Amino acid sequence: MNAALDEAERFLAPVLNRTNSDRHGRSIVQVLSGHNSVAVESLDAEETDKRRWDIIDKALGILGHLHSSCVNTSNGIDQLEPLSNQRGQKVVNALLDLVVLEGIYPSVSSGVGVPVERRLKSALKGEFTIRSLGETSGGRLEDKRLLIHVVDRLCPISLSRKGLASSIQHRMSVDLIAAVGELAFSPAWDNDTRRQSAPSFKEIIESKSALELFPQLTSLLHPSCPDWFRSALSFYLSVLPLRPDGVRQIINFIAGSASDESGTPGTTLNQSTGPSVSLEALVRASKLLTSVPSTMTPDAYISALAPQLLDLLDDSALDNKRIASYIIGTGFLSKRKLGSPGTAGWRCFAQPIFDAIDPWLAGRSVSETTLKLAIDRLSTLAGFHSNPGLTKRLVGPNLLPLWGFQCYALEHRRTNLANQVHAILSTYMKISATETQFLDLSDSLLWNGTALLSFASGATGGIEIRKHDAEEANQVDSVLETVDGRVVQYLSLLREAVLTDDQLSKIFAHTSKAWLLGRPSQRRLEALGDDTKDPLLSLVHAKLTYKLLETYKSQITSSLEGIFQLVDPILSAFVAEHQQAEREKRRSDLSLIGLGKIIRNGDEAEDGSQDADGTISSALALLSTVMINSDVTIGNTDSKILDRVQESLNYIAKNQFSDSSLGMTASNVLLLLQSQQGTPIVSKTNEDTKDFDSLADDRNSHRKALGFLSNELAPVRAQGLSTLTDLVSKSSPVLNIPSTGILLVSLLQDEDEYIYLSAIKTLGLLASNHPKTIVTMLVEKYVDAHEDSALDVRIKIGETLNKTIEHLGQLFVETIAQTVGESMIAVASRRGERPKALQKRDRAKRKAAKARKEAEDAWNGEIPGEGDGEEDMDEEGAMNAHVAKIVDGWADTGREEDIRIRTSALSILGTAIETNVAGVGASVTSTAVDCALAVLKLEKGEERAILRRAAVMVIMSVVRAIDAAEDRGQRLGFGFAGENLAEVVTVLRYVEVTDGDEVVVGHVRAVVESLEAWRQKSLLLGSVRSREAHPPYEVGFSLRGEPAIGGTGKTVRIEEVT
């Protein structure tokens, strides 16, 4: 090794150690030739070529000797230490520079190779033949021989990757490529030379990595590069990405180059976060990778390149995803020739996403792995670069499947997947959403697949698409639970979309029409092969309508004319149909044909009536809600439309329908219309202006109160009720009394105790100012002839009625008192029938029996823990079972009223009599006593003890009322006397002895004592009145209004109904 270095130093000494004066005007070849005893006088070209050959051959020989010294060792390990120091590096670099500058470049065609000024500075001192490059190129035989000699000697060394291979790679790799390329492609050489050299060029190219080769080949592509060489280099550059990991290496080089140009440290693509690549570098990489080689078709090139780009797209490093998404999205899919549907770019990058997300028409299942990969790729392509056109093309056709995927993920607590898809939809909505897409989405809000396929949970916690199981289809109960969540998600997307007020109004109008008229669009569902109408769409559109109004009320209600245009034909059609039905009803006679027609069409007419009532109820509810939430007046609304709406509302308010609440609701809407219309502008005095302003304040307060009462939060509803109570307290003229009463009664069903207790108080306050209207309404709701209300609601209404009667006091007279008394007697007696309640109880019993039988069948006998076991039951358990039996007995009364509501009616009856017995009158009071006595005689059993207690208290109330009236000096004209008193006492004595309920017995004793005290008091009072010349028989009038002496009154009896 040292001998070879010494030889190389001696050979290069003349050009390594010369001074400026020594080398002036003399070339490297001349200097080295002189040093080797070669004549230095002017020589001809032939002689010069010969001596240049000798110099280059000598240099190649020394390089070969050095390489052999490094490789040929006894242990097979390269001995590169002597060449790694400064001396060795200087010698080897000088030899390589000599071969390049005097051997290669003078022999290649003009423009082949790297310009001298861009090469590393050589240590050789002297003039180079490279200066006459343009003159010496031209396909001379000598040049070919020299190039072949250089290539034959250095290529094996370079390809061996041993010895001097690394020095050649560092110092002259590009030059060696240029030399071999000259021989392989230059038209100056014969075909045999090119054919023999082409494999060497290909071998050199393939021996290098893309990261190494890319900068070397691009450095050879300069403006003076000949076309034949440029073509060859461009081809090999264009196929570099197709090498294994070629895409990563090329992007890595471009990222490093961009970093060098900006002065920041370079990065590598293998880092966990990927390289930080500038937009300029991305453009360069995209341009390179999307350049299809001239020798390949676009389909073949993209098909070969796609796996690497998709691998990069699926990388966990965000920067790698960003790079791949830009190249795929901008470089391929955004170009018509490479990325439009049907092209290779679309088939490789977009179609797999579509196939995974939207397999519904094809009817094939998709695994959770495939579906997750498609969602990830779509998320990256749509989210990393702003490309509205591409996002629209990728997301738009998949909008409904993505919506279904997101909702299913949320409903099954796949939060990460749901958030990922929501980001995709959000991006799409922000840049390209229209109201049409939201309209179609509103009609498919509950979409979860087709009749064949649906989303389902995967085996590893993901989501997949697979065929339905029979029991999975049409699970209405589970779907009902998802409606609210999907409405929330719909509104979330709507908020993120940039829509105008006009577009929002169109969406609101669409959902309102679909809800009220029941004609939603099914275009997308039919396109997916699901032509079945969703029975829950009406509910969805109803919820959407109210949520839209709640969220965008300022935009939607900025003009009420559209709402009136929607509601007007619905109201008019309903009124016209009802009027026509009434006319036909009046004209029809009860002939056999007519009766037959009634029987045949009865069910259809009932169904049609219910549908019509449901539609009109929804329309009124919508109009009421809009009026409550609107902050504008209706002054600009078409007067003809407004008049028709008001006429329809007046008609509905004044007539009776199967839905009894329609009239009240219509009245309430009319009230809101009147408050919104305001007062026409006329000349007003100061006092008129004050009154008008006061009414305006009341209308505003009323509107806010109604809005608060519809809120979901109990404190807000409480505030609304408080505001309404203030209006009731000051008897504000803006209140519609029947509508307000209906509203307050509806609040009795509120789950919050404070709300319904306050509603009871407000109803009593309203009744004191409008007793007839409110008490009559409460009685109707309490009696509940159509069985529309639940038991607890009726009991709350009874509590309200009881407090209202107490609040009225001496105003509880005449018609009001008669109505209350007679209605309470009807409910308390056995006259009330509840067939619907009986049917409901029977259904519940059958269901429980069926469930028990199934359980027994499953256990093959008696259910464990549910045996008789009465002997093992402790005292507390026995007591609980006893109480449960009594409670069951309260409801299990056959067709009769529930024991609890009958008890409530007797309590109200007693309150009414005790409040104002004179106002109730003799007839109702007498019937009340007879009803109480009948209850005591006939209603036996533990479960009816509460009813007997209330009956005893009714008699006590009569005694107290009569006694109080006498104390006030009030002459009632009736009372207990003679046989009547004896009958009452006899029944009470019998109950005292026979009844097993201690409370009943205690009440009876108290009543008997009170009757005895009252009788003695009456006798004393009678003797006093006799002395004062009062008629003695006044005290003797019976309770039934029968004179004690010679009376002609009739007795009202309560008979048992069997």
Side-chain angles (χ1 to χ4, degrees):
M1 174 70 73
N2 291 327
L5 284 176
D6 293 340
E7 181 185 5
E9 286 179 335
R10 288 194 299 270
F11 172 69
L12 296 173
V15 293
L16 288 178
N17 303 319
R18 294 177 62 197
T19 61
N20 291 337
S21 60
D22 293 335
R23 68 173 185 266
H24 180 69
R26 302 178 67 193
S27 68
I28 295 291
V29 173
Q30 290 175 331
V31 174
L32 291 176
S33 297
H35 182 72
N36 289 280
S37 302
V38 180
V40 296
E41 63 270 11
S42 298
L43 302 173
D44 56 17
E46 182 179 353
E47 186 65 22
T48 302
D49 289 337
K50 181 179 180 302
R51 293 181 179 182
R52 186 161 63 93
W53 171 279
D54 293 338
I55 297 299
I56 298 303
D57 181 64
K58 178 69 173 178
L60 290 173
I62 296 173
L63 287 170
H65 189 195
L66 288 172
H67 176 71
S68 299
S69 301
C70 293
V71 174
N72 296 329
T73 59
S74 59
N75 55 12
I77 301 175
D78 291 357
Q79 299 294 327
L80 297 178
E81 183 178 353
L83 299 180
S84 62
N85 55 32
Q86 184 176 3
R87 174 196 173 200
Q89 289 178 358
K90 182 178 180 181
V91 170
V92 172
N93 289 341
L95 288 171
L96 294 176
D97 289 344
L98 177 62
V99 172
V100 171
L101 298 174
E102 292 292 349
I104 294 177
Y105 277 96
S107 304
V108 298
S109 301
S110 177
V112 175
V114 179
V116 175
E117 61 272 12
R118 290 172 57 184
R119 289 196 82 257
L120 295 174
K121 186 177 179 181
S122 175
L124 299 176
K125 299 175 181 178
E127 303 294 335
F128 299 110
T129 310
I130 193 68
R131 290 180 180 273
S132 58
L133 176 63
E135 299 175 2
T136 58
S137 61
R140 296 186 311 123
L141 183 59
E142 293 79 2
D143 294 335
K144 183 179 75 169
R145 288 178 58 245
L146 184 57
L147 279 177
I148 292 174
H149 186 51
V150 171
V151 169
D152 288 345
R153 297 292 297 272
L154 292 184
C155 275
I157 297 176
S158 177
L159 294 174
S160 70
R161 298 188 178 277
K162 296 179 180 180
L164 297 183
S166 60
S167 298
I168 294 175
Q169 172 67 25
H170 173 71
R171 196 71 181 179
M172 60 170 294
S173 181
V174 177
D175 307 312
L176 190 59
I177 292 173
V180 181
E182 170 73 19
L183 294 172
F185 303 109
S186 174
W189 311 121
D190 56 87
N191 291 335
D192 290 340
T193 301
R194 292 198 298 269
R195 185 173 59 253
Q196 293 171 4
S197 301
S200 298
F201 185 83
K202 183 178 180 181
E203 187 177 10
I204 290 176
I205 294 297
E206 291 180 350
S207 68
K208 300 176 181 295
S209 67
L211 187 61
E212 296 173 315
L213 200 56
F214 185 79
Q216 295 173 1
L217 295 183
T218 53
S219 66
L220 294 170
L221 287 171
H222 48 79
S224 59
C225 179
D227 292 340
W228 55 265
F229 196 41
R230 181 184 301 276
S231 176
L233 293 175
S234 298
F235 167 75
Y236 280 101
L237 273 173
S238 64
V239 297
L240 279 181
L242 301 182
R243 293 185 172 196
D245 214 26
V247 171
R248 286 178 180 264
Q249 293 178 0
I250 288 174
I251 295 174
N252 200 21
F253 170 75
I254 293 176
S257 299
S259 299
D260 292 339
E261 292 173 4
S262 62
T264 59
T267 57
T268 62
L269 196 61
N270 294 326
Q271 293 179 1
S272 60
T273 59
S276 179
V277 182
S278 65
L279 180 59
E280 180 183 359
L282 279 178
V283 173
R284 289 168 56 189
S286 176
K287 185 176 180 181
L288 173 65
L289 294 174
T290 56
S291 299
V292 180
S294 58
T295 57
M296 299 181 69
T297 63
D299 284 11
Y301 175 72
I302 296 175
S303 298
L305 187 68
Q308 291 192 62
L309 286 174
L310 291 175
D311 182 61
L312 199 60
L313 189 70
D314 300 334
D315 199 289
S316 60
L318 294 181
D319 279 328
N320 293 350
K321 289 179 176 289
R322 183 172 67 90
I323 293 167
S325 66
Y326 183 86
I327 296 171
I328 294 173
T330 304
F332 288 100
L333 295 179
S334 295
K335 295 181 178 179
R336 184 183 300 273
K337 293 183 179 180
L338 300 179
S340 60
T343 62
W346 184 267
R347 288 196 303 271
C348 292
F349 300 117
Q351 195 61 51
I353 296 176
F354 277 64
D355 292 342
I357 295 177
D358 195 358
W360 315 104
L361 291 179
R364 62 177 180 274
S365 300
V366 179
S367 67
E368 59 180 309
T369 304
T370 303
L371 186 57
K372 178 62 167 65
L373 182 63
I375 294 295
D376 288 341
R377 289 177 176 177
L378 181 59
S379 175
T380 304
L381 291 172
F384 274 82
H385 294 284
S386 178
N387 192 333
L390 178 62
T391 301
K392 185 175 182 180
R393 289 169 57 205
L394 293 178
V395 180
N398 295 309
L399 183 61
L400 186 58
L402 288 172
W403 165 259
F405 183 97
Q406 178 202 3
C407 293
Y408 183 89
L410 277 177
E411 291 156 9
H412 293 79
R413 299 184 179 180
R414 310 297 199 273
T415 307
N416 292 335
L417 289 174
N419 292 339
Q420 187 178 22
V421 177
H422 181 81
I424 296 173
L425 294 174
S426 176
T427 301
Y428 174 76
M429 294 302 180
K430 288 177 182 177
I431 61 180
S432 57
T434 63
E435 74 273 11
T436 302
Q437 291 160 334
F438 277 105
L439 296 183
D440 291 342
L441 197 59
S442 70
D443 295 334
S444 308
L445 207 69
L446 298 179
W447 189 85
N448 190 38
T450 64
L452 180 63
L453 298 175
S454 68
F455 294 106
S457 297
T460 60
I463 297 174
E464 62 185 8
I465 299 173
R466 65 169 181 249
K467 294 183 179 180
H468 282 290
D469 292 332
E471 64 268 10
E472 290 180 353
N474 299 323
Q475 294 181 353
V476 177
D477 292 340
S478 61
V479 172
L480 283 171
E481 298 175 359
T482 69
V483 172
D484 289 338
R486 296 207 175 196
V487 169
V488 171
Q489 290 304 310
Y490 181 89
L491 292 176
S492 175
L493 289 179
L494 196 61
R495 281 192 294 270
E496 295 174 355
V498 182
L499 298 179
T500 63
D501 291 353
D502 182 59
Q503 289 174 317
L504 288 171
S505 298
K506 289 180 180 179
I507 295 173
F508 178 76
H510 173 83
T511 58
S512 301
K513 289 179 181 178
W515 168 38
L516 297 176
L517 303 180
R519 293 196 296 267
S521 168
Q522 295 282 327
R523 293 191 299 273
R524 178 58 176 164
L525 289 178
E526 291 170 1
L528 291 172
D530 188 357
D531 56 357
T532 58
K533 301 294 183 181
D534 193 336
L536 294 174
L537 274 180
S538 179
L539 172 63
V540 171
H541 285 119
K543 286 185 172 291
L544 266 181
T545 299
Y546 279 104
K547 286 295 183 180
L548 284 170
L549 184 60
E550 179 182 333
T551 307
Y552 299 101
K553 67 177 182 179
S554 60
Q555 294 94 321
I556 293 173
T557 61
S558 58
S559 174
L560 295 176
E561 187 169 1
I563 307 299
F564 284 108
Q565 289 175 347
L566 170 64
V567 174
D568 175 36
I570 299 174
L571 297 177
S572 299
F574 176 79
V575 170
E577 291 176 3
H578 188 268
Q579 290 174 338
Q580 179 66 22
E582 290 295 313
R583 286 193 295 268
E584 292 179 356
K585 183 177 180 181
R586 287 192 296 268
R587 288 198 302 266
S588 63
D589 55 2
L590 295 178
S591 64
L592 291 177
I593 297 176
L595 288 173
K597 183 177 180 181
I598 291 173
I599 294 172
R600 287 193 303 271
N601 298 335
D603 293 339
E604 297 179 2
E606 183 178 355
D607 293 341
S609 175
Q610 291 177 353
D611 291 341
D613 287 358
T615 301
I616 200 65
S617 178
S618 300
L620 291 175
L622 173 63
L623 187 57
S624 175
T625 304
V626 171
M627 296 295 296
I628 290 171
N629 287 279
S630 177
D631 293 327
V632 298
T633 62
I634 58 177
N636 296 327
T637 304
D638 188 341
S639 59
K640 293 182 179 180
I641 296 177
L642 189 58
D643 290 342
R644 287 197 300 269
V645 170
Q646 288 181 321
E647 289 176 4
S648 300
L649 291 174
N650 274 316
Y651 180 86
I652 295 171
K654 294 178 181 178
N655 287 273
Q656 296 293 325
F657 301 93
S658 58
D659 184 355
S660 59
S661 65
L662 287 181
M664 293 302 177
T665 306
S667 299
N668 198 23
V669 174
L670 274 174
L671 173 61
L672 290 170
L673 278 174
Q674 294 168 3
S675 65
Q676 285 280 24
Q677 283 178 290
T679 306
I681 300 177
V682 294
S683 176
K684 301 182 181 71
T685 63
N686 291 336
E687 292 298 326
D688 293 336
T689 303
K690 291 180 180 178
D691 293 341
F692 178 77
D693 292 340
S694 176
L695 285 179
D697 292 340
D698 284 357
R699 281 194 294 269
N700 187 47
S701 298
H702 183 234
R703 183 158 52 86
K704 289 183 177 179
L706 294 178
F708 288 161
L709 288 172
S710 63
N711 197 281
E712 297 178 355
L713 299 177
V716 178
R717 296 198 303 276
Q719 177 60 39
L721 183 56
S722 176
T723 303
L724 187 61
T725 303
D726 292 340
L727 294 174
V728 172
S729 299
K730 65 179 184 179
S731 300
S732 175
V734 303
L735 292 175
N736 181 282
I737 303 306
S739 299
T740 304
I742 291 292
L743 176 63
L744 290 171
V745 169
S746 68
L747 292 177
L748 297 178
Q749 304 179 45
D750 199 294
E751 296 179 356
D752 189 273
E753 183 178 5
Y754 177 82
I755 301 295
Y756 76 74
L757 289 177
S758 299
I760 291 173
K761 177 182 177 182
T762 306
L763 268 172
L765 192 61
L766 187 65
S768 63
N769 296 327
H770 308 277
K772 185 175 182 180
T773 301
I774 299 303
V775 172
T776 301
M777 180 192 68
L778 290 175
V779 169
E780 289 178 356
K781 293 290 184 181
Y782 184 81
V783 173
D784 190 28
H786 300 289
E787 301 186 57
D788 296 325
S789 301
L791 176 67
D792 59 338
V793 175
R794 294 178 68 194
I795 290 177
K796 289 178 181 178
I797 294 174
E799 182 182 355
T800 305
L801 189 58
N802 198 61
K803 291 184 179 298
T804 301
I805 293 170
E806 291 177 347
H807 189 75
L808 287 174
Q810 296 305 309
L811 295 177
F812 184 66
V813 293
E814 300 177 353
T815 306
I816 301 175
Q818 293 289 327
T819 300
V820 171
E822 292 172 358
S823 298
M824 296 305 107
I825 290 172
V827 173
S829 68
R830 289 186 173 184
R831 281 181 271 174
E833 292 190 357
R834 313 294 288 183
K836 291 183 180 179
L838 176 60
Q839 293 174 2
K840 185 177 180 180
R841 289 196 299 271
D842 289 343
R843 284 195 300 269
K845 288 180 180 179
R846 288 194 297 270
K847 186 176 180 181
K850 181 180 178 181
R852 183 177 183 83
K853 186 177 184 305
E854 291 176 352
E856 289 176 348
D857 292 342
W859 284 99
N860 293 322
E862 185 176 333
I863 302 173
E866 290 194 6
D868 292 334
E870 293 182 0
E871 64 279 1
D872 299 329
M873 189 178 300
D874 58 12
E875 183 178 351
E876 182 179 358
M879 178 62 69
N880 292 337
H882 181 67
V883 171
K885 182 178 179 181
I886 292 176
V887 173
D888 290 340
W890 290 346
D892 193 9
T893 57
R895 297 174 63 89
E896 296 179 8
E897 287 276 12
D898 189 288
I899 297 297
R900 287 162 289 189
I901 202 70
R902 293 178 64 190
T903 303
S904 171
L906 286 175
S907 299
I908 296 171
L909 184 60
T911 300
I913 293 173
E914 199 164 350
T915 298
N916 190 358
V917 66
V920 172
S923 178
V924 172
T925 306
S926 173
T927 306
V929 173
D930 284 343
C931 179
L933 293 176
V935 167
L936 292 174
K937 294 176 182 178
L938 302 175
E939 306 290 349
K940 303 299 183 180
E942 279 186 304
E943 69 278 1
R944 297 174 185 261
I946 59 172
L947 187 62
R948 297 196 299 275
R949 297 172 189 174
V952 176
M953 295 310 297
V954 168
I955 300 174
M956 175 67 83
S957 295
V958 173
V959 175
R960 290 174 179 171
I962 295 175
D963 184 56
E966 291 180 351
D967 288 345
R968 293 192 301 270
Q970 184 179 7
R971 298 182 179 182
L972 298 177
F974 57 86
F976 287 109
E979 296 179 359
N980 297 321
L981 179 59
E983 179 185 357
V984 171
V985 173
T986 300
V987 172
L988 292 176
R989 293 291 187 189
Y990 172 78
V991 171
E992 181 182 5
V993 175
T994 61
D995 201 297
D997 186 79
E998 295 181 358
V999 178
V1000 173
V1001 172
H1003 287 348
V1004 166
R1005 290 172 181 170
V1007 172
V1008 171
E1009 292 176 0
S1010 297
L1011 277 173
E1012 181 64 25
W1014 173 81
R1015 188 179 68 80
Q1016 294 178 4
K1017 181 178 178 181
S1018 296
L1019 291 174
L1020 179 61
L1021 183 61
S1023 62
V1024 172
R1025 285 177 176 172
S1026 297
R1027 289 192 299 270
E1028 294 177 356
H1030 287 291
Y1033 58 83
E1034 285 187 5
V1035 180
F1037 269 69
S1038 72
L1039 185 60
R1040 304 181 183 89
E1042 298 175 347
I1045 302 174
T1048 59
K1050 295 182 179 180
T1051 302
V1052 180
R1053 294 291 183 184
I1054 305 300
E1055 298 180 356
E1056 181 180 0
V1057 178
T1058 58

